[in-house]
Amino acid sequence: MLDKTYKEQLQIWDKTYLWHPFTQMQDYIKETPLIIEEGRGIFLKDIDGKEYLDGVSSMWCNLHGHCRKEINDAVKRQLDKVAHTTLLGPSNIPSILLAKKLAEIAPEGLEKVFYSDNGSTANEVALKMAFQYWQHKGCKDKTEFVALQYGYHGDTIGTMSVGGIDLYHKAFSPLYFKTSFAPSPYCYRCPLGKQNKDCDLQCLGGLEDILKEKADRIAALIMEPLVQGAGGMIIHPKGYLSGVAALCKKYNVLLILDEVLTGFGRTGKMFACLHEGVVPDIMALSKGINGGYMPLAATLSTQEIYHAFLGEFSQVKTFFHGHTYTGNPLGCAAALASLGLFEKDDILRNLEPKIKYVYDKLKSFESLEHVGDVRQCGLIAAVELVKDKTTKEPYPWEERIGVHVCLEAKKHNLLIRPLGHIIVIMPPLIIGIDELDRMLDTIYKSIEIVTGKNS
Ligand SMILES: *Cc1c(COP(=O)(O)O)cnc(C)c1O
């Protein structure tokens, strides 16, 4: 543990020098900052030695726990060889091995791997690839995109252009390229006002209307398969993804799947699109790619996309995109070790009882007075809080009801992060049943305490 004056110094320096992401700093500097010093397994320890369960997987990316020996060792081994070399020109061993591995485990047909550093860039690459694919194909008018309401694909201007969350995206709208937004299949707040799920997925009609009218101008549709994460852990009804994929085929529009959150086991399968046998033209991966160890991302494409970029140098068909740390060897070495653990620990099969456990346990949440909806997909779950359960009236967002629930949970050694009024359950995949039990009990009690006060 650190000495007291140094701890105080860190707290002051944090407030003096750091600008935290997605954070109102005027509020932040009034509070005592939580400063993490180390992590072991699913627990994080702060500079006071207090331990927390990492219920948010350090922003949805940790899979096998912190300080995992196999990944640490792989990174150390690579570190003793070389930390970084560029892929602009030369290649490096871990990036080759990982590309081969990703192509092997990805849905069949996705065979080319383009690296970058984070989820936003993985999607940015996907959008640029899709756009230029059509240019190379001679379809010069296909310059627009389709995305879903409440979709989230990152914070760069390009990915914000296809983002559907007003709170984050509206302010920058003058900077965006043209995107049409289809209704999100948010069943609890059905865009068509349906009450139950035997609706024949009529919400696909909204998408088809857009495609019918504009397909000639549309390069690609981008969406998060099965779970729209940042938009509120909106879980899509069965068949929606395959319905979208069929419409993309019918109207000759590329399908980009953003599996930045859903990839690498979160939904119970390696990739979410495998649940519905859908193979996109382009797939973006990041968060869980190396178990949450280092910035790394990959955009996978089919041979069809890749081949459109081949030609004589003078034809200028080259894909002019690349980041300095593209294919970083340390990140790739960590990813290979993480994927090794999927096999060694049989991660996906061991997830099944945990997913079932969460399903059973979440039922009890439905009786809470201010819980409007509970939903789950694999080891991703969410509890939507409402001011009034009968009318589904949301809490005013300024009330920060989710933040208050999470602050209560923190008192009980659980770290979680809400999305507005939605409580997110996103533990590392290796969490045990006992720890899941404790986590869900803590969330239940925290909701009860906080919303009790507000009713
Ligand atoms: C987090 C996230 C992103 C953005 O990834 P960053 O690494 O934060 O840039 C994109 N898409 C989805 C679905 C995400 O959850």
Side-chain angles (χ1 to χ4, degrees):
M1 238 187 288
L2 305 175
D3 77 76
K4 188 156 179 283
T5 46
Y6 182 50
K7 280 192 294 200
E8 283 164 357
Q9 193 69 81
L10 284 172
Q11 289 170 351
I12 292 165
W13 286 340
D14 177 48
K15 294 179 188 182
T16 310
Y17 298 112
L18 262 179
W19 189 346
H20 286 263
F22 280 95
T23 301
Q24 178 43 260
M25 294 305 289
Q26 188 175 307
D27 294 332
Y28 183 89
I29 56 171
K30 289 183 205 148
E31 308 287 333
T32 306
L34 169 65
I35 303 175
I36 302 297
E37 192 181 358
E38 54 183 66
R40 287 280 182 287
I42 62 167
F43 296 97
L44 292 171
K45 204 191 274 182
D46 72 6
I47 52 174
D48 293 317
K50 188 172 173 190
E51 275 208 332
Y52 299 89
L53 198 162
D54 185 3
V56 63
S57 290
S58 291
M59 212 55 237
W60 313 349
C61 64
N62 191 285
L63 307 180
H64 312 291
H66 297 279
C67 226
R68 185 63 195 250
K69 187 174 185 322
E70 292 88 338
I71 307 180
N72 285 10
D73 288 347
V75 174
K76 286 177 196 163
R77 272 198 304 275
Q78 183 57 40
L79 193 53
D80 281 335
K81 295 195 164 172
V82 63
H84 180 67
T85 65
T86 180
L87 280 195
L88 295 154
S91 205
N92 67 63
I93 297 171
S95 73
I96 297 171
L97 297 179
L98 179 62
K100 176 172 180 287
K101 185 81 192 163
L102 289 173
E104 281 164 9
I105 62 172
E108 205 168 341
L110 294 169
E111 293 172 2
K112 290 289 169 182
V113 176
F114 192 99
Y115 289 114
S116 61
D117 322 320
N118 59 71
S120 305
T121 55
N123 284 314
E124 193 86 21
V125 165
L127 296 168
K128 282 177 70 175
M129 263 180 195
F131 173 87
Q132 205 171 16
Y133 168 81
W134 291 113
Q135 298 297 305
H136 291 335
K137 284 285 191 182
C139 302
K140 304 278 181 199
D141 294 336
K142 281 170 115 36
T143 58
E144 300 175 22
F145 290 87
V146 179
L148 294 192
Q149 218 183 345
Y150 306 118
Y152 178 82
H153 304 289
D155 296 336
T156 55
I157 306 287
T159 55
M160 286 197 301
S161 298
V162 291
I165 305 174
D166 276 356
L167 181 62
Y168 304 164
H169 299 135
K170 212 170 174 178
F172 300 97
S173 58
L175 305 176
Y176 298 164
F177 51 72
K178 263 194 187 161
T179 301
S180 306
F181 289 91
S184 163
Y186 185 175
C187 296
Y188 178 62
R189 299 182 185 280
C190 175
L192 300 173
K194 301 270 170 195
Q195 295 294 344
N196 51 29
K197 289 183 185 173
D198 58 346
C199 56
D200 294 330
L201 299 171
Q202 286 170 40
C203 50
L204 282 168
L207 170 60
E208 181 150 22
D209 290 344
I210 293 171
L211 294 174
K212 221 179 247 165
E213 190 197 330
K214 302 183 180 169
D216 293 347
R217 281 180 274 148
I218 288 170
L221 177 148
I222 182 168
M223 71 180 275
E224 299 153 87
L226 267 56
V227 184
Q228 289 184 274
M233 294 303 149
I234 296 164
I235 293 173
H236 296 172
K238 213 166 173 219
Y240 183 79
L241 174 61
S242 45
V244 170
L247 287 174
C248 286
K249 279 226 161 59
K250 180 173 171 189
Y251 290 95
N252 200 25
V253 160
L254 296 177
L255 175 61
I256 300 171
L257 289 184
D258 173 358
E259 293 242 16
V260 169
L261 163 64
T262 51
F264 302 102
R266 284 273 165 212
T267 67
K269 289 189 187 290
M270 193 52 108
F271 301 105
C273 58
L274 295 170
H275 288 273
E276 302 207 1
V278 166
V279 183
D281 299 285
I282 304 175
M283 177 163 90
L285 302 171
S286 185
K287 292 196 169 91
I289 192 167
N290 53 28
Y293 256 63
M294 265 180 250
L296 182 72
T299 306
L300 274 58
S301 89
T302 58
Q303 295 284 2
E304 166 66 21
I305 303 284
Y306 171 79
H307 278 279
F309 287 80
L310 300 182
E312 295 302 322
F313 186 73
S314 56
Q315 288 178 286
V316 205
K317 286 190 162 185
T318 307
F319 187 48
F320 288 107
H321 191 107
H323 300 281
T324 306
Y325 284 97
T326 287
N328 173 259
L330 294 175
C332 292
L336 284 162
S338 169
L339 290 170
L341 286 173
F342 270 91
E343 288 163 26
K344 181 169 160 265
D345 293 356
D346 212 351
I347 296 287
L348 296 178
R349 202 157 55 93
N350 285 324
L351 271 179
E352 286 165 21
K354 300 177 199 179
I355 292 168
K356 173 82 170 48
Y357 190 84
V358 172
Y359 181 82
D360 292 339
K361 183 114 184 165
L362 276 179
K363 285 203 188 106
S364 65
F365 283 63
E366 284 165 11
S367 59
L368 285 168
E369 194 188 332
H370 291 279
V371 169
D373 190 35
V374 295
R375 42 188 184 256
Q376 181 194 3
C377 176
L379 209 57
I380 301 171
V383 179
E384 178 160 348
L385 303 176
V386 287
K387 196 158 184 112
D388 184 327
K389 212 161 162 161
T390 19
T391 61
K392 301 186 182 178
E393 184 197 339
Y395 280 97
W397 70 274
E398 318 86 82
E399 221 171 276
R400 304 172 76 220
I401 191 77
V403 170
H404 293 298
V405 170
C406 295
L407 285 173
E408 183 62 32
K410 189 176 156 210
K411 288 188 203 157
H412 308 280
N413 301 68
L414 171 65
L415 287 186
I416 48 174
R417 187 178 163 86
L419 293 161
H421 56 291
I422 293 158
I423 308 302
V424 178
I425 297 161
M426 184 85 72
L429 303 186
I430 56 147
I431 191 170
I433 296 272
D434 286 354
E435 293 149 338
L436 261 179
D437 193 57
R438 202 195 104 200
M439 176 174 173
L440 292 170
D441 279 342
T442 304
I443 294 174
Y444 185 97
K445 275 189 220 124
S446 301
I447 292 173
E448 206 172 33
I449 289 168
V450 171
T451 60
K453 272 189 242 147
N454 278 278
S455 63

